[in-house]
Amino acid sequence: MHVRCPDGLPEKAYRQVLEQLAELSPVVQALPPSVALVELKGALRYYGADTRRLGEMLRVRTISRLGIDVRVGIGPSITVAASASAQVPRPGGVLAIDPGEAAAWLAPLPVDALYGIGPRQAEVLVDYGIHRVGLLATVPPATIQRLLGGRAGRTAADRARDIDPRPVVPRALPAAATVSHAFPRHTLDGAAARAALLDLVVRLGLLLRRRGQASRALTLKLTFVGGGSWERTRRLPEPSVHDDDLRLLAYQLMDAAGLQRGRLTGLALKGEDLIGADEVAQQISFDDAREARLVAEAAIDRVRDKFGPQVIGPAAVFRRAS
């Protein structure tokens, strides 16, 4: 079962949907920010119902308990289930594809409707006259590999034939990491706000490195005199735990706020969609300056571990504190 929640669903509500899924089956894989996979084999035996009935049961629960409708796709593989959920019109519904009907159901779909096919891949396939999934399934895999590249071509060819052995792997929604700063009195000073944000970047990076996690996205929240607030989230180009990368995106978020004369009372920076730091691919870099900064970052962390987090840091942060 592939479940799509409404776009822009708050994290708290998404967690509540995951709890409803866990009541249906113990095998739930969170795919934040708004999607989840569910293994139904155990649920089918427990409830004695067919797959469509389970999907409708889930919708009734999320609507009645949470006020949230969902789009549910059910099929013999992740590819079919995810492709099916995308075909369900908003706000919600259930589309269940029986195992024996999967190939026939996939065949008339446009290639960009096949789960895992990106816009650029679809554009290449269409340029070569491969408009439908059924046609993609008939083209020799070696040809698709030449068009899309070795691994991507093999994956596309397999999924068009409903060859997708991936299991649903239980995974909870990744935790977030948040640091915040409250100004003792409201500030209009852009330099003071930027220095406070830099301090949050340093604190967040240190927290993530100590926890052995890396962030895929950052959320910046600004609060103003009178109780108003501004909040935006952007994804990092690659998951990172390093101050350099976090700082660049945090500054972009601050610039996007267009503060002008806004009177700030506080800032909060949240690292979201966290993964284990050991899951981040190690890129070969020819940027000597960046490599030197990463070495310095590791050395600074050792100093902080020995003498405390406030003994060393960016000069702008220490000027603000003085």
Side-chain angles (χ1 to χ4, degrees):
M1 177 188 289
H2 188 272
V3 181
R4 296 178 188 263
C5 300
D7 294 338
L9 189 70
E11 181 181 312
K12 180 179 179 181
Y14 177 52
R15 289 182 183 276
Q16 291 173 328
V17 173
L18 293 177
E19 291 171 0
Q20 299 303 311
L21 296 177
E23 288 185 11
L24 192 67
S25 168
V27 185
V28 177
Q29 181 176 348
L31 300 173
S34 60
V35 175
L37 288 167
V38 185
E39 174 58 69
L40 292 180
K41 291 178 181 178
L44 289 170
R45 290 192 295 269
Y46 180 82
Y47 290 99
D50 60 23
T51 55
R52 181 175 179 80
R53 175 66 176 167
L54 291 177
E56 294 291 359
M57 185 187 304
L58 172 64
R59 282 192 70 210
V60 169
R61 290 180 179 181
T62 60
I63 293 173
S64 62
R65 298 176 181 178
L66 307 175
I68 298 171
D69 204 350
V70 294
R71 295 186 290 157
V72 180
I74 302 172
S77 67
I78 291 176
T79 292
V80 174
S83 299
S85 67
Q87 298 302 307
V88 176
R90 290 179 172 84
V94 179
L95 178 56
I97 310 300
D98 292 333
E101 300 174 354
W105 180 80
L106 286 172
L109 293 179
V111 290
D112 62 356
L114 182 66
Y115 181 70
I117 296 290
R120 292 182 180 178
Q121 293 175 326
E123 184 178 352
V124 171
L125 293 171
V126 169
D127 284 345
Y128 281 87
I130 305 172
H131 300 270
R132 303 287 173 182
V133 176
L135 182 56
L136 176 60
T138 66
V139 177
T143 300
I144 305 302
Q145 287 179 293
R146 285 196 294 271
L147 296 179
L148 302 182
R151 183 176 180 180
R154 168 56 67 180
T155 299
D158 284 348
R159 291 182 180 177
R161 296 168 171 81
D162 190 27
I163 301 173
D164 185 359
R166 293 175 297 166
V168 177
V169 179
R171 184 166 77 101
L173 180 64
T178 304
V179 290
S180 61
H181 173 81
F183 294 102
R185 51 186 176 272
H186 68 76
T187 181
L188 288 168
D189 186 347
R194 187 63 62 107
L197 179 59
L198 178 57
D199 183 40
L200 294 185
V201 167
V202 172
R203 289 166 52 194
L204 179 61
L206 182 61
L207 175 61
L208 291 173
R209 291 191 293 275
R210 284 178 171 174
R211 286 167 48 169
Q213 293 182 297
S215 180
R216 288 183 169 126
L218 289 183
T219 295
L220 176 64
K221 182 176 182 179
L222 312 178
T223 54
F224 302 95
V225 170
S229 64
W230 179 94
E231 184 173 330
R232 290 291 186 277
T233 300
R234 287 187 183 178
R235 297 188 72 81
L236 290 146
E238 298 289 342
S240 181
V241 70
H242 300 301
D243 293 354
D244 264 4
D245 304 323
L246 302 179
R247 182 181 65 249
L248 178 61
L249 186 57
Y251 282 0
Q252 290 174 355
L253 285 165
M254 178 70 89
D255 291 341
L259 287 178
Q260 297 178 347
R261 302 297 294 174
R263 294 183 293 167
L264 280 174
T265 60
L267 304 171
L269 187 64
K270 180 191 294 185
E272 300 200 76
D273 197 5
L274 306 184
I275 62 173
D278 57 355
E279 298 179 51
V280 179
Q282 299 298 316
Q283 301 286 346
I284 297 175
S285 174
F286 297 101
D287 185 343
D288 293 338
R290 175 179 171 80
E291 292 302 312
R293 288 193 295 271
L294 295 183
V295 171
E297 180 181 83
I300 290 170
D301 283 351
R302 291 192 293 271
V303 172
R304 289 173 175 146
D305 288 340
K306 186 173 183 179
F307 299 105
Q310 301 303 322
V311 300
I312 188 171
V317 173
F318 281 88
R319 284 197 298 270
R320 176 183 62 84
S322 61

